[in-house]
Amino acid sequence: MDDLDAMAVALDEARSALDHGDVPIGAVVVVNDRIVARRHNEREATGDPTAHAECSHYATRAASVGDGWRLGDATLYVTIEPCPMCAGAALAARLARVVFGAPDPKAGACGSLYNVCTDPRLHHEMAVTAGIRSDDAAALVTAFFASKRDGATPTGQ
């Protein structure tokens, strides 16, 4: 599974978040060319402030296919650049790689605002690839917030 294919699945997950009024961000975890976990934002649906797409128990699901909590063969694909909490979770899980679509200049922790994934002062570093289907990911989030301002209901398009 290549980066474009995996990001397409993450974008499908992002659209699912619209069904319950959450910011349309989706994520998948791939190990050995196989999706082992997929999620979308569920903060509004669950009332849990930590229910971000790329942090919502994906590590537990992904670890169940491996030899424990270290996910050194895993790649996390997420439509929007992970925040500090989510980048920290990826770091703690020892992911090999993080791939994201659109940058997040307000909260991005994989290069935009912070650089958690590649900070040599931390105990692990991950490869980061940015910009995969960035326009599609940004369009979903932009439309979502525009609809909030206009009072319209966003769609998955």
Side-chain angles (χ1 to χ4, degrees):
M1 171 169 289
D2 69 13
D3 289 351
L4 290 172
D5 292 336
M7 190 60 73
V9 176
L11 285 163
D12 287 342
E13 277 294 320
R15 290 180 193 97
S16 296
L18 296 171
D19 294 340
H20 44 78
D22 271 288
V23 178
I25 298 173
V28 299
V29 176
V30 174
V31 176
N32 298 323
D33 290 328
R34 193 174 117 232
I35 293 174
V36 297
R38 57 188 293 169
R39 218 50 186 185
H40 56 271
N41 272 3
E42 295 180 342
R43 290 190 306 174
E44 298 300 327
T46 63
D48 179 354
T50 67
H52 291 198
E54 67 275 35
C55 199
S56 294
H57 311 292
Y58 77 82
T60 303
R61 287 182 184 84
S64 70
V65 303
D67 293 330
W69 62 268
R70 289 176 187 85
L71 304 177
D73 294 333
T75 299
L76 169 65
Y77 292 86
V78 60
T79 57
I80 302 294
E81 181 180 5
C83 71
M85 175 184 69
C86 296
L91 188 75
R94 306 291 200 281
L95 292 175
R97 186 170 170 233
V98 173
V99 177
F100 67 87
D104 184 350
K106 293 182 179 180
C110 296
S112 291
L113 187 59
Y114 302 104
N115 216 342
V116 172
C117 295
T118 60
D119 189 328
R121 297 170 297 177
L122 298 173
H123 61 279
H124 178 69
E125 291 183 51
M126 295 168 280
V128 175
T129 302
I132 304 298
R133 299 207 48 189
S134 177
D135 291 343
D136 296 329
L140 276 174
V141 172
T142 300
F144 174 81
F145 285 111
S147 71
K148 291 288 190 188
R149 287 188 297 276
D150 299 339
T153 302
T155 63
Q157 301 170 354

